[in-house]
Amino acid sequence: MNTPLPDVPEVRVVGLPQLTAGFDLVHRLDLGMHLKVHGALEPMVGERLADLAEAVSLNGRGGAGFPFAKKLRAVAKSAIRRGVRPVVVVNGSEGEPACRKDTVLLCRAPHLILDGALLAAEALGARVLAIAVTRDSTEASMREAISERGLTDRRGKGLRVRVVRTPERMVSGEASSVISAVNGGPSLPAGRKVRASDSGVGGAPTLLSNAETFAQLAMAARLGPQRYANIGLSDEPGTVMLTVSGSVARPTVLEVPVGTPMRYVLELCGAPPMPQAVLTGGYHGDWIDGLTAVGAIISRKALRTAGGALGAGAILPIGPETCALGESLRIANWLAAETAGQCGPCKLGLPAAAAGLSDVLGGGGPTALEALKQVTQAVKGRGACKHPDGSVRFFQSTLNAFTDDLAAHVLSGGCGRPTQGVLPLPNPGYEDEGVPSGEKLAVDWVLCEGHGLCAGVVPEMIRMGPDGYPVIADMTVPMHLRANAQRAVRRCPELALRLEQAPAQQAPPSRKALPRG
């Protein structure tokens, strides 16, 4: 089973709304309603805006949590040193299946995001503002908001504003991927470590931040640091947007004050009273056990202390009735298929890690578990972007969080619980350049003689096991590997290998329990 999240889930608020003010009145705040709810906003000079962001401890809300004031000052300093106009980019490329909070803001409060982005553009003297989005709904909403303000991308205007569409992929939201897309190239990581504040869009210093970050900046500018700090914690003031899904009755986007108890957040969304575990920070985040989760509070620092992560604000509890490792395997397969295919640690390492986890669940024993640990360690720190490291973080957190389940799978052949598909993924079979093809490799074990030719053709997805037979990664074939997968099928001398349409993902049966010729 797999139920993808809707574009705009139900929205709820704890306490007084800030970013979500007016949502109880209309579905989308057009410019007129936006001004009625929030009022007009005066521009600020650069240093004053940086001081404001610093005073309210505004960190990026896209996952990394980098201080916005430092980023703003770095762009201004680079622009002055080089004597060029900087560029401002709103990163609304929300390509992770478990995240919808930016999509909600882009669709329902687009002018709040524009307020923050225009504040930054005015303060920096930027002449280009780009907004990167991943969905039809967000693109339509932002184009309408731009039109409502009389903004345009035409030459000769004081500020050119445009919307850039990126694929709905995990790697599309990486900073260099967004910059590449704005430059007219593919939404792929650059593969080289260049700070956007030094050289971004068109080679100019670029202020790139997440959609919620700009909305929070606009709210802080309206309220001022003292009123903004009346909500939240002293060291993390304000509110935070969360996407809560997984084992819940109602997948929900919430605006909550920083410091809100996790238990209350989970109760509002209909999670089990005592979840088995909670994945915090999304699919590049960390698992924390249920007892720790219900005793935690929502803050970047508190979740880090508890062993979790706030990340991009995704909170995913799983109930006691589902196999946690089977759920993790579904995500591992998706992460492996999301590779940009540009570097070995990602292109080869992540499919190998997903195959290793599948082998562990399929009864591979301690040898398979040790091999999995070695693969994840080899990938860490060697990728061209953050996707390999974020994925390895998820793998390692899974191994550390579910030791009892691991023991049951390694020593006893399973935990006895089904994989129910509660963690959201895109619909099976979606296609685009570089994304899963909707097909999987499968082996007829009655015919397979273990020649190993397939492992030589597509080593990213097939390796030879210790018993001399191939181990197939239980994942959808990425498009960049589809040609090799077809070649491996054609070269199988026993006609045992085939490509078939991928069903809904679930924990695989034991490979060793299947008959062979």
Side-chain angles (χ1 to χ4, degrees), residues 55-56 224-234 237-238:
V56 300
Q226 289 186 336
R227 287 180 61 199
Y228 187 89
N230 286 338
I231 297 177
L233 304 175
S234 59

Side-chain angles (χ1 to χ4, degrees), residues 168-186:
E168 193 173 337
R169 297 196 57 207
M170 191 73 160
V171 296
S172 294
E174 202 268 342
S176 64
S177 295
V178 173
I179 289 171
S180 176
V182 175
N183 281 331

Side-chain angles (χ1 to χ4, degrees), residues 352-354 356-357 360 367-377 395 399:
L357 182 57
V360 169
T367 301
L369 180 59
E370 185 59 33
L372 172 58
K373 291 179 179 179
Q374 290 177 1
V375 168
T376 55
Q377 191 60 38
F395 277 101
L399 296 180

Side-chain angles (χ1 to χ4, degrees), residues 411-486:
L411 302 176
S412 305
C415 64
R417 291 172 292 186
T419 300
Q420 298 181 327
V422 298
L423 300 182
L425 288 173
N427 278 315
Y430 70 104
E431 294 190 25
D432 201 344
E433 183 180 354
V435 303
S437 63
E439 297 173 316
K440 297 178 71 172
L441 284 168
V443 176
D444 184 335
W445 296 112
V446 174
L447 298 176
C448 181
E449 295 292 339
H451 294 284
L453 294 178
C454 54
V457 176
V458 60
E460 298 90 343
M461 300 196 65
I462 305 175
R463 61 182 175 84
M464 299 306 291
D467 58 358
Y469 284 87
V471 177
I472 311 295
D474 186 37
M475 58 179 283
T476 309
V477 178
M479 287 298 289
H480 72 272
L481 294 179
R482 190 167 184 268
N484 284 354
Q486 291 173 328

Side-chain angles (χ1 to χ4, degrees), residues 113-203:
I113 297 168
L114 278 177
D115 277 349
L118 292 170
L119 268 180
E122 178 74 16
L124 290 168
R127 291 294 177 263
V128 174
L129 167 60
I131 303 154
V133 297
T134 53
R135 298 185 174 91
D136 291 340
S137 57
T138 51
E139 181 180 6
S141 177
M142 293 311 297
R143 289 192 184 281
E144 185 175 354
I146 290 169
S147 176
E148 288 168 354
R149 291 194 181 225
L151 300 171
T152 180
D153 192 26
R154 294 174 186 165
R155 293 184 181 276
K157 293 291 183 178
L159 177 67
R160 298 179 62 184
V161 183
R162 65 179 181 268
V163 177
V164 177
R165 185 67 177 267
T166 62
E168 193 173 337
R169 297 196 57 207
M170 191 73 160
V171 296
S172 294
E174 202 268 342
S176 64
S177 295
V178 173
I179 289 171
S180 176
V182 175
N183 281 331
S187 297
L188 295 173
R192 54 192 178 91
K193 310 297 183 182
V194 178
R195 291 186 301 181
S197 59
D198 291 330
S199 179
V201 176

Side-chain angles (χ1 to χ4, degrees), residues 80-342:
I80 292 170
R81 184 181 70 250
R82 294 176 53 191
V84 298
R85 295 277 190 178
V87 175
V88 174
V89 176
V90 177
N91 187 359
S93 296
E94 200 168 43
E96 184 171 342
C99 293
R100 287 294 186 274
K101 52 101 172 175
D102 286 330
T103 298
V104 163
L105 290 175
L106 290 161
C107 287
R108 301 195 61 182
H111 288 284
L112 200 58
I113 297 168
L114 278 177
D115 277 349
L118 292 170
L119 268 180
E122 178 74 16
L124 290 168
R127 291 294 177 263
V128 174
L129 167 60
I131 303 154
V133 297
T134 53
R135 298 185 174 91
D136 291 340
S137 57
T138 51
E139 181 180 6
S141 177
M142 293 311 297
R143 289 192 184 281
E144 185 175 354
I146 290 169
S147 176
E148 288 168 354
R149 291 194 181 225
L151 300 171
T152 180
D153 192 26
R154 294 174 186 165
R155 293 184 181 276
K157 293 291 183 178
L159 177 67
R160 298 179 62 184
V161 183
R162 65 179 181 268
V163 177
V164 177
R165 185 67 177 267
T166 62
E168 193 173 337
R169 297 196 57 207
M170 191 73 160
V171 296
S172 294
E174 202 268 342
S176 64
S177 295
V178 173
I179 289 171
S180 176
V182 175
N183 281 331
S187 297
L188 295 173
R192 54 192 178 91
K193 310 297 183 182
V194 178
R195 291 186 301 181
S197 59
D198 291 330
S199 179
V201 176
T206 298
L207 176 69
L208 184 148
S209 206
N210 164 264
E212 184 194 342
T213 310
F214 284 108
Q216 292 284 1
L217 180 68
M219 189 57 60
R222 281 186 168 85
L223 298 176
Q226 289 186 336
R227 287 180 61 199
Y228 187 89
N230 286 338
I231 297 177
L233 304 175
S234 59
D235 57 343
E236 293 185 48
T239 65
V240 63
M241 298 289 289
L242 304 173
T243 310
V244 184
S245 61
S247 295
V248 297
R250 299 173 300 279
T252 307
V253 169
L254 295 97
E255 183 183 13
V256 304
V258 179
T260 300
M262 174 83 80
R263 179 193 296 272
Y264 187 53
V265 168
L266 296 176
E267 286 177 356
L268 278 177
C269 300
M274 180 56 68
Q276 181 182 172
V278 176
L279 180 58
T280 59
Y283 295 160
H284 278 176
D286 295 296
W287 290 102
I288 55 178
D289 67 85
L291 185 61
T292 300
V294 298
I297 63 172
I298 301 296
S299 90
R300 192 172 299 277
K301 181 179 179 181
L303 286 175
R304 184 169 59 246
T305 300
L310 181 59
I315 304 293
L316 300 109
I318 57 170
E321 71 286 345
T322 189
C323 173
L325 291 176
E327 295 291 343
S328 297
L329 175 60
R330 295 174 61 249
I331 307 309
N333 291 333
W334 180 79
L335 289 169
E338 284 293 285
T339 173
Q342 296 186 132

